[in-house]
Structure formats: C-alpha cells, structure tokens
Amino acid sequence: MIEIIITFQLEHRFNKKQIFEMYANEINLGQRGSFSIDGFGEASQSYFGKDVSQLDLSDCALMAGMIQRPNYFSPFRHGDRAIDRRNLVLDRWLKRRDYERSSGARKGEPLHLEQ
C-alpha cells in the first residue's frame, strides 16, 4: 500500500523522463572491490573508462543486461556470463527493431573493460 502512495506522489511531482533519470543515477550495477557501482554514469566509468555519452551499443547492452542481477553478470568476475547476457539483449533489441544491424554492435565482440 505504501508503494502505491509513493508511486502516485512521484508521478504527481515528476514526469517520466525525470523519474527514469533518478532511477538511472541510483540503480546498482555491481561492485568493484568493496565499492558499489551505482548509476549508469558511474558504471560506464568503472567498466569502460569513458563517459556514458561515449558508449557504443554493445556497451549499453551489457549494462542493460546487468540490471536484473549485477553481481551475477559482472564482466570483471563472470566475463562469459556477461557476454551471453549482452548478446541476449542485442538479440532482443534487434527483434524489436530498437536498433539496426548496421549499428556496429557485434555479438562476437569481446568485452573492452577498463582495468
């Protein structure tokens, strides 16, 4: 019941874009050592060493695929799982036509992580 009230209050105060922006800046996307990686901006720096605006489609698919279980799909600890999950996201985007084949995203591409 409390969640419903909070939802109504959020939707009354903020538009959908603002709600998504708050979510995208707070969502947990794993850990690096003992530090939590929160938000897509921090994740893009931690995983790829670049600003979120510079990510390619494969990088975005990796992070989108991690949302459900960030530590299980951690590219640092479970590279094979992370690649499989990224490829699943790319396949689904292609089926929905959210991107074109010519976008440069390749499923066979290795992860390019910031060490």
Side-chain angles (χ1 to χ4, degrees):
M1 185 67 168
I2 292 174
E3 291 87 5
I4 294 171
I5 294 170
I6 292 171
T7 300
F8 283 127
Q9 288 177 341
L10 278 173
E11 289 179 348
H12 181 70
R13 289 179 112 186
F14 304 104
N15 63 40
K16 289 183 186 213
K17 183 179 177 185
Q18 290 171 315
I19 293 170
F20 178 75
E21 187 176 325
M22 287 185 281
Y23 173 79
N25 286 325
E26 297 295 326
I27 187 169
N28 179 271
L29 287 165
Q31 285 187 238
R32 188 155 191 185
S34 61
F35 296 98
S36 178
I37 299 170
D38 297 318
F40 288 104
E42 194 172 302
S44 68
Q45 287 294 328
S46 295
Y47 292 125
F48 308 110
K50 52 188 168 181
D51 186 76
V52 72
S53 65
Q54 297 173 325
L55 296 178
D56 63 27
L57 196 60
S58 294
D59 299 338
C60 293
L62 176 71
M63 291 197 307
M66 293 176 62
I67 292 171
Q68 186 180 30
R69 296 174 70 186
N71 290 319
Y72 183 82
F73 294 117
S74 169
F76 293 131
R77 289 188 278 160
H78 308 288
D80 290 340
R81 285 183 200 162
I83 288 171
D84 289 345
R85 184 68 171 183
R86 177 202 63 194
N87 293 345
L88 175 71
V89 171
L90 288 171
D91 284 341
R92 291 197 176 162
W93 285 349
L94 180 59
K95 276 186 180 176
R96 291 185 52 202
R97 303 209 189 295
D98 288 343
Y99 75 94
E100 296 297 320
R101 288 185 196 275
S102 62
S103 66
R106 292 179 191 86
K107 293 192 322 184
E109 186 176 303
L111 299 175
H112 302 286
L113 302 175
E114 178 74 7
Q115 300 298 324

